[in-house]
C-alpha cells in the first residue's frame, strides 16, 4: 500500500484517505494548545511555525512547519505543507539551557559570599582600612556586583527561553512605587552631575504588573540612561496609553542610537558598536533589553525605543495594562486584584500608543 510520510510519522494511505488533516496530524504548541490546520492552511501569505509538538508512538517530536498556498492547473487553491524534524536541535537547546541555568546557580552562591565579606570589610567590622585599601575594596565590590548582574541576567534569559518565568500580577499604586525608585536614581544621577526628573500624569493611578519585575525593568532602563549620559539629564515620564494601558518612558540626553541600529535592540546580546551599547563601556551581557522585552510582553504590554541619532539622546518606553481585562488570560487567576473582572467582550487585542 502507498505510504504517506511525515518526518518520523508514517500512515498507510488507505487509512488516511478521506480523513481531515487534523485527524492524521495532531500538532500542539509547547504549552499544550492544539494547533488546527486552519491556522496555517490556505493563508494569503506563507506561514512559518516553530517548535510544534507531535506525539508519535509515545515519543514527543518537535517539528518546524512551513506552508504556502499555490494554484493548481485548474486554478484551484492547494496548500503545500513542509514539516522538518527539529527534535535533535531542540534537545540540544534544552541541554544547553539546563547547563547555563545550573552553572549560573552554582556561580551565584560563592559570589554572594564574597560580596558579604567585602561588605563587612568596607564597614570596618574588623579594623580600619587605609585610603589605598578602600580604593581596592571599592573596585572589588564593583567587580563582584557586575558579575552578579551578569549571572542574574543569564539566569533570567534561561528561564525565559524555557518558559519558566513566573509572574504574579498585582495592582500597583504608581505614585508610591515610582517615588521610591525615583529617589534612588536621583542620587545616582547627582553623582554624575545629571538632572533627574519624574513626571506622572494625574490620570495614572494604578498599573497591573509583577512588582519585582517592574522594578527590575525600570532599574535596567534607568541604569542604562545614567551609564550612557555624560551631561544633561534623564526624564522618567508616566502617561496614559489609550484607555487601558500605562506608558513608562525614559528619555536621556546621552550618546544616542543610530536610527539604522534601532531594529537590533531587544535581541539577545544586542550590543551596538559605536552607539548606545558600546561594548567597551557597557561591560554587561547585552541581555538586559532582551529581558525587558520578554517580561513586558509576558505581562501584556509592548516595548520600543527611539533616537534622533548619535549624540542626540535616546528614549525607551514600555506599556503595561491599567485595566483588569487587558491582563493576559493565563495570569488572571493568579493576579492579586482589587477590581472586579469585566466581560470578555471588552477585551482589546490592540495596545494603543
Amino acid at each position: 500500500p502507498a505510504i504517506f510520510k511525515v518526518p518520523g510519522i508514517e500512515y498507510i494511505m488507505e487509512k488516511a484517505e478521506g480523513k481531515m488533516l487534523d485527524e492524521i496530524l495532531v500538532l500542539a504548541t509547547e504549552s499544550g494548545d492544539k494547533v488546527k490546520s486552519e491556522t496555517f492552511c490556505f493563508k494569503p501569505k506563507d506561514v512559518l511555525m516553530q517548535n510544534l509538538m507531535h506525539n508519535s508512538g509515545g515519543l514527543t517530536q518537535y517539528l518546524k512547519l512551513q506552508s504556502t498556498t499555490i494554484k493548481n492547473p485548474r486554478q484551484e487553491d492547494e496548500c503545500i505543507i513542509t514539516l522538518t524534524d527539529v527534535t535533535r536541535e531542540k534537545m540540544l537547546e534544552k541541554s544547553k539551557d539546563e547547563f547555563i541555568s545550573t552553572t549560573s546557580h552554582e556561580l551565584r552562591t560563592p559570589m554572594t559570599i564574597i560580596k558579604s565579606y567585602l561588605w563587612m570589610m568596607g564597614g570596618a567590622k574588623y579594623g580600619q582600612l587605609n585610603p589605598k585599601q578602600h580604593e581596592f575594596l571599592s573596585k572589588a565590590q564593583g567587580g563582584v556586583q557586575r558579575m552578579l548582574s551578569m549571572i542574574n541576567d543569564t539566569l533570567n534569559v534561561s528561564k525565559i527561553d524555557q518558559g519558566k518565568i513566573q509572574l504574579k500580577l498585582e495592582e500597583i499604586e504608581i505614585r508610591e512605587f515610582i517615588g521610591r525608585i525615583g529617589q534612588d536614581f536621583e542620587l545616582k544621577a547627582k553623582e554624575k552631575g545629571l538632572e533627574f526628573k519624574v513626571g506622572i500624569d494625574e490620570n495614572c493611578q494604578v498599573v497591573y504588573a509583577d512588582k519585582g519585575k517592574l522594578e527590575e525593568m525600570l532599574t535596567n532602563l534607568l541604569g542604562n540612561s545614567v551609564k550612557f549620559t555624560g551631561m544633561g539629564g534623564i526624564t522618567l515620564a508616566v502617561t496614559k496609553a489609550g484607555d487601558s494601558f500605562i506608558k513608562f518612558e525614559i528619555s536621556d540626553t546621552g550618546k544616542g542610537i543610530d536610527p539604522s541600529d534601532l531594529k537590533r535592540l531587544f535581541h539577545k546580546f544586542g550590543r551596538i558598536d559605536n552607539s548606545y551599547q558600546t561594548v567597551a563601556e557597557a561591560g554587561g551581557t547585552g541581555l538586559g533589553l532582551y529581558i525587558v522585552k520578554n517580561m513586558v510582553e509576558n505581562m501584556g504590554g509592548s516595548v520600543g525605543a527611539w533616537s534622533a541619532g548619535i549624540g542626540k539622546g535616546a528614549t525607551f518606553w514600555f506599556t503595561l495594562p491599567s485595566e483588569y481585562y487587558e491582563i493576559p488570560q493565563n495570569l488572571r487567576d493568579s493576579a492579586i486584584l482589587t477590581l472586579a473582572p469585566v466581560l470578555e467582550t471588552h477585551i482589546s487585542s490592540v495596545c494603543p500608543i
Side-chain angles (χ1 to χ4, degrees), residues 294-313:
N294 278 273
M295 286 183 178
V296 168
E297 291 179 350
N298 273 290
M299 287 190 276
S302 56
V303 66
W306 180 85
S307 176
I310 302 297
K312 298 180 179 179

Side-chain angles (χ1 to χ4, degrees), residues 171-237:
E171 187 181 272
I172 300 170
E173 293 286 342
I174 293 173
R175 290 186 180 278
E176 179 184 347
F177 183 82
I178 295 297
R180 180 170 54 81
I181 293 177
Q183 287 178 350
D184 293 339
F185 276 93
E186 186 175 10
L187 294 173
K188 292 181 180 180
K190 282 183 177 179
E191 288 175 2
K192 289 190 67 176
L194 302 173
E195 185 179 14
F196 183 73
K197 295 180 180 178
V198 175
I200 304 174
D201 281 1
E202 290 185 3
N203 57 351
C204 295
Q205 303 296 324
V206 299
V207 66
Y208 286 99
D210 182 299
K211 187 175 287 188
K213 297 294 189 291
L214 178 56
E215 182 171 351
E216 187 177 331
M217 294 186 300
L218 286 170
T219 298
N220 188 306
L221 296 177
L222 287 167
N224 279 348
S225 287
V226 171
K227 186 187 300 183
F228 294 103
T229 302
M231 62 177 65
I234 298 160
T235 301
L236 168 59

Side-chain angles (χ1 to χ4, degrees), residues 108-120 144 148:
R108 186 160 63 174
T109 301
M111 292 306 296
T112 302
I113 294 171
I114 293 169
K115 181 181 178 181
S116 297
Y117 278 113
L118 290 174
W119 176 81
M120 285 190 287
V144 168
L148 282 171

Side-chain angles (χ1 to χ4, degrees), residues 35-66:
V35 178
K36 296 184 179 181
S37 58
E38 63 191 38
T39 307
F40 52 83
C41 277
F42 300 107
K43 297 298 179 182
K45 294 183 179 180
D46 293 353
V47 175
L48 172 63
M49 302 182 76
Q50 303 273 14
N51 299 327
L52 296 179
M53 298 172 64
H54 175 82
N55 192 286
S56 177
L59 297 175
T60 299
Q61 274 185 295
Y62 288 90
L63 304 173
K64 179 176 75 174
L65 181 149
Q66 294 171 284

Side-chain angles (χ1 to χ4, degrees), residues 27-91:
L27 299 173
T29 64
E30 289 187 276
S31 60
D33 297 326
K34 293 286 180 66
V35 178
K36 296 184 179 181
S37 58
E38 63 191 38
T39 307
F40 52 83
C41 277
F42 300 107
K43 297 298 179 182
K45 294 183 179 180
D46 293 353
V47 175
L48 172 63
M49 302 182 76
Q50 303 273 14
N51 299 327
L52 296 179
M53 298 172 64
H54 175 82
N55 192 286
S56 177
L59 297 175
T60 299
Q61 274 185 295
Y62 288 90
L63 304 173
K64 179 176 75 174
L65 181 149
Q66 294 171 284
S67 72
T68 186
T69 302
I70 63 168
K71 295 285 187 182
N72 65 19
R74 296 188 298 275
Q75 295 302 301
E76 298 170 331
D77 285 342
E78 289 189 358
C79 184
I80 297 177
I81 301 169
T82 304
L83 294 168
T84 306
D85 189 344
V86 294
T87 305
R88 182 174 180 274
E89 291 85 347
K90 187 66 178 177
M91 292 300 103

Side-chain angles (χ1 to χ4, degrees), residues 310-322:
I310 302 297
K312 298 180 179 179
T315 297
F316 285 79
W317 59 264
F318 62 88
T319 63
L320 290 172
S322 58

